[in-house]
Amino acid sequence: MLFGTKVEGACSVCDSVDINYPFDHNEIHILPGEIDSKSKLWTAVFTTYKLIGWYSFGVEANADHRKFHEMISSYCADPVFLLINQSALSASDELPLCIYMT
């Protein structure tokens, strides 16, 4: 999950936290209690932050990412999806990131 601020399409990612989710029979299941409790904890400590999206690792967005994005949309409006390419060449001057917004 990504926490930070988002104003008029501009967002600042200030912190992140991992969430556990079961993967059963090729289906992803979000644990609502975990998202709610971690969101409340972060926003209680950092009062200017809110849940603005989520992140994952991969080379390109896929069907599982789209499914998860739809699920996370019920917890925050217009979530930001940050895709981190962990297999990108380290010699590159560019950050191995893609940012998707709905």
Side-chain angles (χ1 to χ4, degrees), residues 7-21:
V7 179
E8 297 178 15
C11 65
S12 294
V13 176
C14 301
D15 208 347
S16 66
V17 63
D18 293 339
I19 59 170
N20 296 316
Y21 56 88

Side-chain angles (χ1 to χ4, degrees), residues 59-75:
V59 177
E60 60 184 37
N62 59 37
D64 287 336
H65 292 132
R66 283 189 291 275
K67 287 179 190 176
F68 195 86
H69 193 80
E70 289 172 9
M71 287 187 257
I72 203 85
S73 294
S74 64
Y75 297 94

Side-chain angles (χ1 to χ4, degrees), residues 21-29 64 67 71:
Y21 56 88
F23 194 76
D24 183 33
H25 302 290
N26 294 329
E27 289 293 322
I28 298 170
H29 302 280
D64 287 336
K67 287 179 190 176
M71 287 187 257

Side-chain angles (χ1 to χ4, degrees), residues 32-95:
E34 183 171 6
I35 290 176
D36 291 336
S37 65
K38 287 186 178 182
S39 291
K40 287 178 184 174
L41 175 66
W42 252 251
T43 56
V45 174
F46 303 103
T47 57
T48 59
Y49 294 1
K50 65 179 185 175
L51 177 62
I52 61 170
W54 65 289
Y55 71 95
S56 185
F57 296 93
V59 177
E60 60 184 37
N62 59 37
D64 287 336
H65 292 132
R66 283 189 291 275
K67 287 179 190 176
F68 195 86
H69 193 80
E70 289 172 9
M71 287 187 257
I72 203 85
S73 294
S74 64
Y75 297 94
C76 67
D78 302 324
V80 172
F81 170 40
L82 175 66
L83 183 62
I84 304 165
N85 183 352
Q86 76 275 20
S87 62
L89 298 174
S90 62
S92 174
D93 290 340
E94 296 182 16
L95 290 174

